[in-house]
Amino acid sequence: EVQLVESGGGLVKPGGSLRLSCVGSGFTFTNGWMSWVRQAPGKGLEWIGRIATKSAGGTPDYDASVKGRFTISRDDSKNMVYLQMDSLKTEDTAVYFCVTALSKSVYWGQGTLVTVSS
Amino acid sequence: DIQMTQSPSSLSASVGDRVIITCQASQDIRKSLHWYLQKPGKAPKHLISDASNLESGVPSRFSGSGSGTDFTFTISSLQPEDIATYYCQQYGNLPRTFGQGTKVEIK
């Protein structure tokens, strides 16, 4: 069974930083393109970015709303993907989901809440 | 960026009704479209890929169709457990983008 478990959410002040982690299991992690999607309270889904497999270059892509502030990385030895969030703004408050697509099936973690507030 | 225009934003229907949700892409995305449902406080659940391919284990009352820019999601006979918000998402281009969601309620 594919499982994705996020961690690292919490309360942070505007301008601060936070790193989210996601551990994957039940699939060959090295074959998984990993994405992050967020959902502000009461709002819709917003794609943040993704990171390719190492065999495809391991490069990340970002939405313009977070480019330059957020960094996605992966550690295949630990089956982990990370979202480093810097220069956080109040509008970054959301539940952050880790997502992977395997053979066109899409799997989501349960999400972790990030609250940016003074 | 490709804009995904989903409609309606909400609907109310009776158990057993046919429910139709549409999603329009601002550019041709071929058949690169997912559909999800999301219940309050839960992660989205994947229902359909490639516009019309039903995920394993998803009830056959759910279906999808379309290609290019115009897509349709149908629940053939609405059930109480189908109460949720439904989203389309295109994966033909970066950045991936979602529709605004359709909240489905029971009348």
Side-chain angles (χ1 to χ4, degrees):
Chain A
E1 178 193 6
V2 173
Q3 282 201 316
L4 299 169
V5 179
E6 304 93 337
S7 60
L11 176 63
V12 61
K13 288 182 166 52
S17 297
L18 204 60
R19 188 178 85 154
L20 306 183
S21 302
C22 169
V23 60
S25 61
F27 64 104
T28 304
F29 191 83
T30 52
N31 292 343
W33 291 60
M34 304 301 297
S35 301
W36 288 93
V37 174
R38 68 183 177 184
Q39 186 169 38
K43 302 297 185 182
L45 300 167
E46 179 184 18
W47 185 86
I48 296 172
R50 71 171 186 187
I51 186 164
T53 60
K54 285 287 194 290
S55 62
T59 53
D61 296 289
Y62 302 97
D63 185 76
S65 63
V66 304
K67 194 168 187 178
R69 298 190 300 123
F70 288 12
T71 303
I72 299 173
S73 61
R74 63 189 298 156
D75 183 343
D76 289 350
S77 69
K78 297 180 180 177
N79 284 13
M80 298 285 286
V81 62
Y82 304 101
L83 178 65
Q84 176 67 40
M85 303 185 293
D86 299 318
S87 303
L88 282 161
K89 307 175 183 180
T90 54
E91 52 263 42
D92 294 319
T93 293
V95 174
Y96 285 73
F97 296 99
C98 174
V99 184
T100 191
L102 304 167
S103 301
K104 294 295 180 76
S105 293
V106 183
Y107 301 91
W108 296 63
Q110 84 288 350
T112 187
L113 176 62
V114 172
T115 303
V116 184
S117 174
S118 54
Chain B
D1 296 3
I2 295 178
Q3 306 303 316
M4 303 301 293
T5 303
Q6 191 175 334
S7 62
S9 56
S10 66
L11 65 89
S12 183
S14 300
V15 172
D17 281 355
R18 185 181 191 87
V19 168
I20 296 174
I21 299 169
T22 64
C23 191
Q24 185 170 59
S26 60
Q27 299 174 38
D28 186 348
I29 58 169
R30 301 168 302 284
K31 300 194 79 172
S32 301
L33 189 87
H34 291 305
W35 288 98
Y36 305 95
L37 71 76
Q38 186 181 32
K39 298 190 177 183
K42 300 292 188 182
K45 176 186 175 183
H46 186 222
L47 300 176
I48 288 171
S49 64
D50 288 344
S52 59
N53 288 343
L54 206 62
E55 268 289 284
S56 175
V58 173
S60 59
R61 64 180 179 274
F62 296 105
S63 64
S65 64
S67 66
T69 61
D70 294 302
F71 301 88
T72 300
F73 174 82
T74 302
I75 307 173
S76 60
S77 176
L78 185 67
Q79 300 302 303
E81 60 266 32
D82 301 335
I83 299 313
T85 299
Y86 292 81
Y87 293 93
C88 61
Q89 181 205 14
Q90 66 81 19
Y91 54 96
N93 282 71
L94 291 177
R96 309 303 196 214
T97 44
F98 291 88
Q100 310 94 305
T102 297
K103 188 174 184 179
V104 174
E105 298 175 321
I106 296 284
K107 193 182 293 183

